Amino acid sequence: MTDLYAVMGNPINHSKSPSIHAQFAEQAKQDLVYSAMLVPTEGFEPAVKDFFKGHGKGLNITVPFKEQAFQLAASLTPRAQTAQAVNTLILQEDGTILGDNTDGAGLVRDLMINQQQELTDKRILVVGAGGAVRGILQPFLEQDPAQIVIVNRTFEKAQLLAESFKEFGAIEAKTFEELDGPFDLIINGTSASLAGELPPLPEVVVDASTCVYDMMYAKELTPFLKWAETLGAAKIIDGLGMLVEQAAVSFELWRGIKPDSKQVLQDLREQLQGK
Ligand code: ATR
């Protein structure tokens, strides 16, 4: 029987994961089917159980179920444990389900491999303190940056995150007003772009050597990237590469084969821009 994989979320109809994984499978000559499953808000656990009772081998989990997936997994990788969120479920040989989180590894790969950005010894500003940011902090700290500063609209959430990750490296929370100089790398992990809004960052955080990354992506530049471009940032990058790379890490966990993500990313970029 063909191995089954899927992404579960609500909503799910705009998910690019089925097309990304179909391309990975074709490239790596893997016999598998990957589909998108719309799961009712109250029906996550039974949906996962049913899936694995069939020929299901692995799942990606997206909004709003990443915390429930974390609760449901029988065992967790250390990075999923610290993120307290799971985006990948893996059926193991003993029939139990392992939970992992590939978001942070995907972002680090996109930055370091696709974009050739060093993280070691760099000053990094992370904007936002929600689930998306929680998933990336440990993989970032593993690269030994000089410092990570977190800012957030609700300052207390930034403080709590900094406190819970400080055992992994140099990380501190600041208020927007306390930011008084440039960073090497700025990551926007807020959902502000969705509302067409900008977090209230002072302009001093960007100079001509700053790389600015938005975890969101869209056909046009996000408001955050437009702002950074206006300020003369060295490089602006959207989250499309992170999307492809987190998928590549999941695929590798399931199939033991590292897909070639470059071509897939290039195709997606062309599709997004309607070429
Ligand atoms: P996710 O799982 O995508 O991270 P989340 O947990 O709801 O979603 O977190 C959203 C993040 O975006 C939060 O850091 C939020 O700030 P608050 O903690 O103050 O809510 C941030 N955010 C959302 N809209 C924003 C806006 N318009 N301006 C600034 N920050 C915003």
Side-chain angles (χ1 to χ4, degrees):
M1 276 301 279
T2 302
D3 292 339
L4 301 183
Y5 296 85
V7 55
M8 288 185 174
N10 190 339
I12 203 66
N13 53 339
H14 291 300
S15 174
K16 297 191 189 308
S17 295
S19 125
I20 294 172
H21 283 279
Q23 289 182 71
F24 288 165
E26 193 184 328
Q27 222 185 56
K29 302 199 169 32
Q30 297 290 296
D31 181 23
L32 62 87
V33 170
Y34 185 112
S35 53
M37 295 173 77
L38 177 69
V39 171
T41 323
E42 300 303 320
F44 180 66
E45 195 169 332
V48 171
K49 296 230 153 99
D50 283 352
F51 182 80
F52 284 112
K53 259 191 237 150
H55 292 277
K57 292 286 190 287
L59 283 173
N60 281 135
I61 308 300
T62 186
V63 176
F65 300 121
K66 289 185 185 184
E67 283 77 22
Q68 283 185 57
F70 167 77
Q71 300 293 342
L72 176 152
S75 54
L76 293 161
T77 61
R79 63 189 178 193
Q81 183 78 57
T82 14
Q84 290 177 28
V86 155
N87 78 335
T88 306
L89 293 172
I90 305 142
L91 181 68
Q92 297 189 286
E93 280 181 7
D94 66 2
T96 64
I97 294 164
L98 172 68
D100 197 359
N101 189 319
T102 66
D103 286 332
L107 174 56
V108 167
R109 260 199 205 180
D110 188 38
L111 278 164
M112 294 181 67
I113 301 171
N114 300 339
Q115 304 291 342
Q116 305 279 302
Q117 296 294 313
E118 270 297 323
L119 301 178
T120 309
D121 295 333
K122 298 298 183 191
R123 295 193 66 230
I124 302 176
L125 176 65
V126 174
V127 190
V133 166
R134 182 170 267 285
I136 63 162
L137 291 176
Q138 189 188 1
F140 262 71
L141 286 165
E142 276 170 7
Q143 299 299 323
D144 262 327
Q147 187 197 28
I148 293 185
V149 171
I150 311 188
V151 288
N152 190 45
R153 182 173 62 182
T154 314
F155 176 62
E156 292 70 29
K157 280 166 71 181
Q159 270 182 314
L160 282 174
L161 267 193
E163 189 58 35
S164 55
F165 281 86
K166 70 178 185 204
E167 64 180 289
F168 301 105
I171 182 164
E172 66 171 307
K174 287 193 176 176
T175 63
F176 288 101
E177 295 74 33
E178 282 171 328
L179 299 174
D180 57 5
F183 287 82
D184 300 306
L185 173 65
I186 303 175
I187 308 280
N188 181 24
T190 72
S191 43
S193 291
L194 283 180
E197 289 174 1
L198 267 180
L201 286 177
E203 295 183 354
V204 288
V205 295
V206 175
D207 74 8
S209 60
T210 308
C211 170
V212 179
Y213 194 106
D214 196 336
M215 285 163 70
M216 299 272 161
Y217 62 85
K219 189 171 189 305
E220 310 292 335
L221 280 186
T222 66
F224 194 79
L225 294 181
K226 252 185 225 152
W227 169 82
E229 187 178 50
T230 312
L231 295 175
K235 199 159 183 170
I236 53 172
I237 310 165
D238 73 9
L240 198 66
M242 175 182 177
L243 174 77
V244 174
E245 295 301 338
Q246 61 78 30
V249 180
S250 294
F251 188 91
E252 199 175 336
L253 286 166
W254 294 325
R255 309 299 296 186
I257 296 174
K258 191 168 184 272
D260 174 14
S261 48
K262 283 245 161 66
Q263 187 61 45
V264 175
L265 178 53
Q266 203 178 314
D267 291 353
L268 265 187
R269 177 69 66 198
E270 285 173 8
Q271 268 173 37
L272 186 66
Q273 285 164 352
K275 283 186 191 154

